[in-house]
Amino acid sequence: MGAPGRECGDQDAHWSKTQEAMVGVVVVVRARVVGTRRKVRKSSRDSTPSLSQSIAINSVRCARASASEIPHQSRIAPNPTAPVATAAAAAAAVTQAKTDRMLRFFPDLETHYLKTRAARGAAGLVEFRKTLAQTTRFRGTTLLATLHHLDEQNNPSVVSSIEFDESGTLFATAGVTKKIKIFEIASVLRGGKDVDTHYPIREIPTRTKLSCLSWNMYMKSLIASSDYDGTVSVWDSNVCRSVREFREHSNRAWSVDFCTREPSRLVSASDDCSVKVWNLNQDKCSLTINTSANVCCAKFNPEVGHEVAFGSADHNVYSYDLRNPATPLCVFEGHWRAVSHVRFLSRSELVSASTDSSLKLWYVTEQASGTSFLGHANEKNFVGLTGTSDFIACGSEDNTVYIYHKNVSQPLLAHPFDRP
């Protein structure tokens, strides 16, 4: 994730009171689940239900919740004498909550339904049912742990990047403290909300402030960093020392990313208006893509090792085939301010974040735009972006984490940083 409180091309980052209140705090949240994931039965080729019929079918399925799916305050103890009416009322409350969420997202669900049915016929109904189940499944978030990021004087400090390793056992943080701190996830979660201070299992000192981190997927001890001086470094986290440094950027490097298909390759983006591709086996960069504006972020396609996407201060998102870097594969236009983050959700789906307070979904193969996501606030700072194949999460300048579904323009969930 990128740095809060930074603006592409601005050497003197300005921090609002909102960001000052949240700096140094990493919140780990988990969605609370209502309803179970049920296996979707294959629809009949002759059956082409309408949108309302499809929603009704799925509503009935969602209503068949077990006692464990009922909100805690409404759960029925395993008492054989408990009134059946009470259990039915609790189940009805769960169903009503799902229905309310469905109605809230109805315009987006209707658009998705019509689009998938038109493109894929009866097969599109399976995709729609999946979206409907996912958008009504969660009712909130639960805070698991809070990590206070402090400097040597125990003052809160800015966190620029948070990255989880491939094994899901470690995460690393970096920022203005000039240190990479590596934490064990299980230890942090074990302490929970009641522990004020969590200690890293390793610390790697750096010469200058850091902007971004990236773990290597295969050489699991390696972690790359980009810094405010424009240096791209690769560290061995087991021995806490640098194993490679690249110093060809002439200005601040905002972003670095290891390639998942070719683990010896990494890409960086800089305020010097360039994207550079590096190889751990070479002393100098293997490829440079020069642009007309500051480059704020760059990511490899996780399924295509020769494809890179990056976001620029010229408001556009670019996709390049590194085998033919003379011209971009495609240029996505739609944001009206700098693009701060890009991330692939799948081989052909790319999401971008901008300081115009929007996220946008792009289809790389079709070179077309998808859903635009609105609801968070982002006009100045880089607030972070992450995602899975179906869900997208980002920060916000109102000190809240927002979670979207890729087919719904409104936030599914929101977790304020000041909420316990």
Side-chain angles (χ1 to χ4, degrees):
M1 296 175 69
R6 64 187 192 186
E7 187 167 6
C8 187
D10 183 3
Q11 295 298 318
D12 299 315
H14 300 284
W15 306 98
S16 66
K17 292 183 178 179
T18 302
Q19 272 63 48
E20 290 173 356
M22 68 179 282
V23 292
V25 180
V26 180
V27 175
V28 183
V29 296
R30 177 180 62 191
R32 295 199 298 268
V33 179
V34 174
T36 55
R37 184 177 297 147
R38 296 183 178 275
K39 188 174 181 180
V40 178
R41 290 175 290 194
K42 191 172 182 180
S43 58
S44 168
R45 292 183 179 179
D46 298 329
S47 175
T48 55
S50 65
L51 174 61
S52 59
Q53 289 173 325
S54 300
I55 290 178
I57 291 170
N58 283 274
S59 296
V60 171
R61 288 176 180 167
C62 291
R64 297 170 183 166
S66 66
S68 63
E69 296 160 351
I70 299 171
H72 178 73
Q73 64 272 21
S74 303
R75 285 181 189 163
I76 307 303
N79 182 357
T81 62
V84 176
T86 305
V94 173
T95 304
Q96 184 59 49
K98 288 176 173 289
T99 302
D100 291 343
R101 287 192 289 274
M102 179 184 65
L103 294 175
R104 174 186 166 197
F105 305 128
F106 190 87
D108 287 313
L109 292 172
E110 182 179 36
T111 299
H112 179 56
Y113 172 84
L114 295 174
K115 179 180 177 181
T116 54
R117 289 303 301 274
R120 302 178 58 193
L125 187 58
V126 176
E127 181 180 343
F128 171 75
R129 285 174 176 168
K130 176 185 175 183
T131 297
L132 180 60
Q134 289 175 331
T135 53
T136 58
R137 182 183 177 201
F138 301 101
R139 64 183 175 92
T141 57
T142 300
L143 178 66
L144 299 181
T146 300
L147 185 88
H148 295 278
H149 210 265
L150 306 175
D151 61 18
E152 294 180 353
Q153 287 74 41
N154 287 327
N155 296 315
S157 62
V158 176
V159 179
S160 302
S161 184
I162 310 167
E163 289 294 324
F164 292 82
D165 75 339
E166 182 62 24
S167 68
T169 60
L170 303 174
F171 70 91
T173 66
V176 302
T177 58
K178 301 180 183 179
K179 289 181 180 180
I180 299 173
K181 298 183 179 183
I182 300 174
F183 297 85
E184 187 180 50
I185 296 174
S187 175
V188 172
L189 296 182
R190 189 162 50 245
K193 296 182 289 185
D194 299 327
V195 177
D196 291 333
T197 304
H198 296 278
Y199 294 96
I201 59 173
R202 299 183 198 96
E203 284 190 353
I204 304 174
T206 64
R207 287 189 301 272
T208 187
K209 301 174 184 177
L210 301 180
S211 56
C212 187
L213 298 174
S214 178
W215 287 94
N216 192 298
M217 185 175 180
Y218 297 99
M219 295 175 278
K220 297 184 179 180
S221 66
L222 298 186
I223 186 168
S225 67
S226 57
D227 67 30
Y228 281 35
D229 289 342
T231 303
V232 174
S233 304
V234 180
W235 310 85
D236 186 333
S237 63
N238 288 338
V239 296
C240 299
R241 66 179 180 85
S242 172
V243 296
R244 178 70 74 179
E245 285 190 350
F246 302 106
R247 297 174 172 270
E248 294 184 35
H249 283 301
S250 60
N251 213 326
R252 185 184 314 189
W254 283 122
S255 174
V256 65
D257 185 48
F258 266 116
C259 179
T260 59
R261 293 296 178 180
E262 298 182 44
S264 62
R265 300 178 85 183
L266 58 163
V267 64
S268 60
S270 171
D271 268 345
D272 65 6
C273 305
S274 75
V275 173
K276 291 184 180 291
V277 179
W278 315 88
N279 192 304
L280 295 180
N281 302 316
Q282 299 176 10
D283 293 331
K284 296 185 178 296
C285 77
S286 56
L287 176 67
T288 298
I289 300 174
N290 292 307
T291 70
S292 60
N294 303 43
V295 187
C296 308
C297 52
K299 282 283 186 181
F300 274 105
N301 187 321
E303 298 185 35
V304 184
H306 54 77
E307 186 177 327
V308 166
F310 59 87
S312 173
D314 67 2
H315 314 167
N316 296 332
V317 177
Y318 297 85
S319 176
Y320 271 81
D321 185 332
L322 299 181
R323 299 170 301 180
N324 182 25
T327 57
L329 283 175
C330 48
V331 180
F332 296 112
E333 301 176 349
H335 289 296
W336 53 274
R337 294 191 70 179
V339 177
S340 52
H341 299 283
V342 292
R343 191 177 187 91
F344 283 92
L345 302 183
S346 67
R347 181 188 182 99
S348 60
E349 293 176 316
L350 175 69
V351 66
S352 60
S354 169
T355 52
D356 62 8
S357 294
S358 77
L359 310 179
K360 290 185 181 295
L361 181 66
W362 312 97
Y363 300 107
V364 178
T365 304
E366 296 87 348
Q367 300 189 16
S369 61
T371 310
S372 292
F373 308 94
L374 301 171
H376 62 287
N378 184 198
E379 296 182 354
K380 185 176 184 180
N381 305 302
F382 287 20
V383 295
L385 176 71
T386 189
T388 63
S389 58
D390 295 305
F391 295 96
I392 305 162
C394 69
S396 176
E397 288 166 5
D398 62 1
N399 278 0
T400 301
V401 176
Y402 288 88
I403 302 171
Y404 295 88
H405 189 279
K406 68 179 182 180
N407 295 320
V408 176
S409 62
Q410 304 174 61
L412 292 184
L413 302 169
H415 188 99
F417 272 70
D418 56 0
R419 192 181 81 193

